[in-house]
Amino acid sequence: MTRAKEILLVTGLSGAGKSTVLKTLEDLGWETVDNLPLRLLDRLLGTPLSESTESDSPLAVGIGARTRDFDPESIVKRIKKLRAEHGYDIGTLFLDCGGAELERRYAETRRRHPLALDRPASDGIARERELLAPLRRWANRLIDTTDLSSNELAQQVRATFGGDGLGEPTLSVMSFGYARGLPRNADLVFDMRFLRNPHWDEKLRPGTGLDADVGAYVAADPAYDAAMKQIEDLLLLLLPRYRAEGKAYVTIAFGCTGGRHRSVHVTERVEKRLRDAGFSPTVTHRDLGAAPQDSLEGAPRTGLG
């Protein structure tokens, strides 16, 4: 069995997307192995460099609750030992996901949780989360897939691991609506609710921040130019420092009330500004498809009273 120079352990909660990650890495030219028994994992990772074959492909190994003799504590100890004794380049990617979303996925696929074959999926999810705690703490990369589709997860994996080695940091810019909750993966969150709201213009309400007339309405706010300059200057200061510190991915989120107008427009503008500055961000509009609702937006302000 061959061992590549660089190894990525892919682990996390069952149903969080491990299969999607491994399939995407395989498409990128990685060698992948899933649910390898730990006794064979030890043999694989313990192969001295001098005994490796001519294959230089990076290796991804999927491990989790379905793996025979799974023991997170022993895995962490093994990784520490291999790094200390041989200087192996071993990374760990942990896939997390909210409990409610995992329950929905199990109900949708009608599969049983591996740790709750005769009990509700929620019991197995809670037990597995506790079991995996050592690996989650140890992992140097973490992706929360709660709000990600399989396609969005694959896109993030391609952006992160598609280059040489373990890849460049993934930069994502997203819009969202506060009325539907904060995004789980956001590193930097900017609240754009100080800008005037197109929702309260009957002609603009059906549109979105992708429309020119909506964008012009938002940009006409007296605070817009100064605020956007300061936000963009801050991002251009911070992003190179995140890269220098080896941060695996950075997600910048812009929020407004409903996630359809102001935040969408600002996200598109910032994405272009960052791309012009030499970055390669991906864009996600989390709540763009949601219907406009007066109950979410609240009453428009007409004065101080």
Side-chain angles (χ1 to χ4, degrees), residues 173-178 190 192-193 195 209 218 253-269 284-285 287:
V173 187
M174 70 178 299
S175 66
F176 72 96
Y178 278 96
F190 294 91
M192 309 311 296
R193 289 176 293 184
L195 297 172
V218 175
F254 294 95
C256 62
T257 306
R260 301 183 69 254
H261 296 114
R262 293 166 290 183
S263 62
V264 172
H265 166 74
V266 170
T267 294
E268 291 290 323
R269 167 177 165 146
T284 302
H285 296 300
D287 300 321

Side-chain angles (χ1 to χ4, degrees), residues 177-190:
Y178 278 96
R180 296 177 173 85
L182 285 166
R184 294 175 178 270
N185 288 340
D187 298 288
L188 298 169
V189 177
F190 294 91

Side-chain angles (χ1 to χ4, degrees), residues 19-297:
S19 297
T20 297
V21 170
L22 291 174
K23 180 66 173 89
T24 305
L25 290 174
E26 185 177 7
D27 291 342
L28 291 172
W30 288 56
E31 295 182 49
T32 62
V33 182
D34 195 13
N35 294 328
L36 190 71
L38 290 187
R39 57 185 178 83
L40 296 182
L41 176 64
D42 288 345
R43 188 182 307 172
L44 176 67
L45 301 186
T47 303
L49 286 171
S50 60
E51 296 180 16
S52 59
T53 67
E54 67 237 5
S55 174
D56 290 326
S57 299
L59 171 67
V61 181
I63 54 176
R66 299 180 189 274
T67 303
R68 187 181 303 174
D69 302 324
F70 182 64
D71 182 358
E73 291 284 0
S74 68
I75 293 173
V76 171
K77 290 178 182 177
R78 183 64 173 163
I79 295 173
K80 289 180 178 180
K81 183 177 180 181
L82 289 170
R83 282 181 172 177
E85 294 181 355
H86 304 288
Y88 287 2
D89 187 4
I90 304 176
T92 303
L93 170 63
F94 190 95
L95 301 171
D96 205 348
C97 188
E101 173 61 16
L102 285 175
E103 290 183 53
R104 186 195 67 79
R105 293 177 187 179
Y106 274 100
E108 188 176 83
T109 61
R110 299 185 179 181
R111 297 183 64 189
R112 293 186 180 275
H113 192 282
L115 298 185
L117 298 179
D118 57 350
R119 299 191 308 278
S122 58
D123 291 353
I125 293 168
R127 181 182 174 193
E128 186 178 32
R129 197 179 295 280
E130 181 179 357
L131 176 67
L132 292 175
L135 276 176
R136 193 184 193 282
R137 290 193 299 267
W138 172 257
N140 59 335
R141 294 173 184 267
L142 184 145
I143 299 178
D144 189 317
T145 69
T146 305
D147 299 318
L148 299 180
S149 66
S150 295
N151 184 61
E152 289 169 337
L153 174 58
Q155 182 181 31
Q156 190 166 131
V157 171
R158 283 192 293 270
T160 304
F161 301 102
D164 296 331
L166 293 182
E168 290 295 320
T170 300
L171 177 59
S172 302
V173 187
M174 70 178 299
S175 66
F176 72 96
Y178 278 96
R180 296 177 173 85
L182 285 166
R184 294 175 178 270
N185 288 340
D187 298 288
L188 298 169
V189 177
F190 294 91
D191 185 348
M192 309 311 296
R193 289 176 293 184
F194 65 89
L195 297 172
R196 61 180 188 165
N197 191 352
H199 177 85
W200 299 112
D201 186 307
E202 291 186 1
K203 294 181 179 179
L204 299 178
R205 182 179 304 170
T208 73
L210 299 177
D211 299 321
D213 54 349
V214 172
Y217 182 93
V218 175
D221 189 292
Y224 178 86
D225 288 335
M228 292 307 303
K229 183 180 186 306
Q230 292 191 47
I231 290 173
E232 291 168 350
D233 287 347
L234 177 63
L235 294 176
L236 294 176
L237 171 67
L238 294 180
L239 290 177
R241 298 189 65 86
Y242 284 142
R243 177 185 293 170
E245 290 295 320
K247 191 167 176 60
Y249 54 88
V250 178
T251 298
I252 306 164
F254 294 95
C256 62
T257 306
R260 301 183 69 254
H261 296 114
R262 293 166 290 183
S263 62
V264 172
H265 166 74
V266 170
T267 294
E268 291 290 323
R269 167 177 165 146
V270 170
E271 185 272 342
K272 185 178 185 304
R273 179 70 178 90
L274 294 178
R275 195 169 293 280
D276 290 343
F279 296 94
S280 300
T282 59
V283 169
T284 302
H285 296 300
R286 192 191 72 180
D287 300 321
L288 184 58
Q293 297 182 35
D294 290 356
S295 60
L296 294 182
E297 297 289 345

